[in-house]
Amino acid sequence: MGTLTYTASVSLDGYVADATGDFQWSAPGDPVFAAHIERMATVSTEVLGRKTYALMQYWETFPDDDDHPAADREFARRWRDIEKVVVSSTLRRDELGSERDRLMPRLSLDELKQIVDGAPGVVEIFGPTVAGPAIAAGMIEEFHFFVIPKMVGGGLRALPDGVHLDLNLVEHRIFGDGAAYLRYRAGEGAAKATD
């Protein structure tokens, strides 16, 4: 049985992308990238939406040769080893990058629970749109935030409105560029949604 986590790189004011949809401001420097590689060692399954899946296809075909940085090659290897569940009503099965990838037009909370129960390790939800219902339902066991020292003033929020969470900080790290890694575990009482 796996555990369910939500990971996001967020601005200081709580956005994963700005009002124009740009998220390049959150591109990790070498130490943060190394932390992502380390974190991925426990991830067995990735649940993500169409746009994030398309973005991450870059790593599916990343060359494994000495012409490319070792960290990039390791990230690509770990990414390819992860089972992907793509939630999209517009993507077609023949557009998936790997035979191992699963396509679901919708993802109910019961289906998500089945995915987590059947996983051998961490199930990570990647993207606030896909993660929102699970966050509101109190299903996320751990939150991993890479906080970027930048305020973008609006855009796609990392967390849904109207949810109250009791969280316990279990790990934190500060990087030389001012970014911070914060890992929270859901506390007793989990989540409560408000109207």
Side-chain angles (χ1 to χ4, degrees), residues 66-164:
D66 291 338
D67 292 337
H68 295 84
D72 289 4
R73 296 193 319 264
E74 183 60 24
F75 184 93
R77 276 193 290 270
R78 290 187 183 196
W79 180 257
R80 284 191 294 266
D81 287 344
I82 294 171
E83 178 185 341
K84 284 93 176 173
V85 178
V86 187
V87 182
S88 172
S89 61
T90 58
L91 200 64
R92 296 189 321 267
R93 178 72 187 100
D94 62 347
E95 294 176 302
L96 295 182
S98 168
E99 289 297 317
R100 290 180 354 138
D101 299 347
R102 287 174 36 194
L103 178 63
M104 300 182 76
R106 280 167 294 291
L107 180 65
S108 71
L109 295 177
D110 285 341
E111 289 167 326
L112 179 58
K113 185 178 182 324
Q114 289 174 8
I115 291 168
V116 174
D117 288 348
V122 171
V123 176
E124 179 177 79
I125 292 188
F126 195 174
T129 304
V130 175
I135 294 170
M139 291 179 66
I140 306 294
E141 296 170 67
E142 285 196 357
F143 292 82
H144 299 246
F145 294 117
F146 289 84
V147 182
I148 312 304
K150 183 175 182 71
M151 296 179 75
V152 298
L156 179 60
R157 292 177 49 81
L159 295 167
D161 288 329
V163 177
H164 296 250

